[in-house]
Amino acid sequence: GKVATYKAPIPAFKPEPVQTIKPTPVTPIFLFTPELPPFELPIINFKHNEWKLAKSSLQILDPLINNLMTHPEWRIIVRGHTDADGKAELNRDLSSRRALFITHHLQSKGIQAKRIITQAFGEVLPMATNETIEGKQINRRVDFEVTK
């Protein structure tokens, strides 16, 4: 006997559409994404030319960490800044060290690395004047943005 063979039609491959994500503009203050419930985001200030903090100073991050643990779908942007003293290249490096120090702390408390974006701005996004000691202190900071 002859065996009849049947060739099943192969459906054409249709790739899934790729979602393009537009970058959000960066501002010198923290932002709330509208669909997230607002809660206060800390701003952490640093001494001149320093990027490390005492463990007691890191307690200000506890409410933020608790919110991130409660909402695993949230992502956080950690943004480091400096005052305008010194060379721009050194300030970018210092702002990077500040943001990474805070990022490592968040990770040590259980926030997954894939949920954290670390950015370093150096002196380019001041919150206050760099003409006064008080203004410089305000500008030496790490701030945050929470997104989905």
Side-chain angles (χ1 to χ4, degrees):
K2 288 189 175 181
V3 177
T5 58
Y6 172 74
K7 288 190 177 180
I10 300 172
F13 174 71
K14 291 184 182 176
E16 291 290 318
V18 177
Q19 180 184 13
T20 54
I21 300 170
K22 294 181 181 174
T24 47
V26 176
T27 62
I29 57 170
F30 53 78
L31 302 174
F32 292 116
T33 305
E35 65 269 14
L36 300 179
F39 60 92
E40 191 171 341
L41 290 171
I43 294 177
I44 301 171
N45 295 103
F46 292 82
K47 292 181 181 175
H48 181 72
N49 268 347
E50 291 189 15
W51 64 87
K52 294 182 180 178
L53 296 172
K55 285 186 180 179
S56 59
S57 299
L58 291 171
Q59 290 176 351
I60 192 172
L61 291 173
D62 289 348
L64 172 63
I65 292 166
N66 290 337
N67 276 304
L68 290 168
M69 296 299 271
T70 305
H71 300 278
E73 72 279 11
W74 290 1
R75 298 193 183 297
I76 185 156
I77 302 171
V78 180
R79 305 188 303 208
H81 306 271
T82 65
D83 60 30
D85 289 351
K87 294 182 179 180
E89 184 179 334
L90 295 175
N91 283 338
R92 274 192 307 276
D93 180 63
L94 179 59
S95 66
S96 175
R97 290 173 188 257
R98 288 174 176 166
L100 287 171
F101 180 80
I102 299 301
T103 295
H104 292 153
H105 177 71
L106 295 176
Q107 290 173 338
S108 76
K109 296 295 186 178
I111 307 302
Q112 297 170 304
K114 68 181 182 181
R115 296 177 59 200
I116 305 171
I117 297 169
T118 306
Q119 299 176 334
F121 292 98
E123 63 199 53
V124 299
L125 294 175
M127 287 183 74
T129 180
N130 276 300
E131 302 300 316
T132 65
I133 293 171
E134 296 80 13
K136 289 177 184 182
Q137 175 63 39
I138 290 168
N139 292 332
R140 295 191 297 264
R141 71 191 189 282
V142 165
D143 58 21
F144 303 92
E145 180 180 345
V146 174
T147 64
K148 255 187 172 173

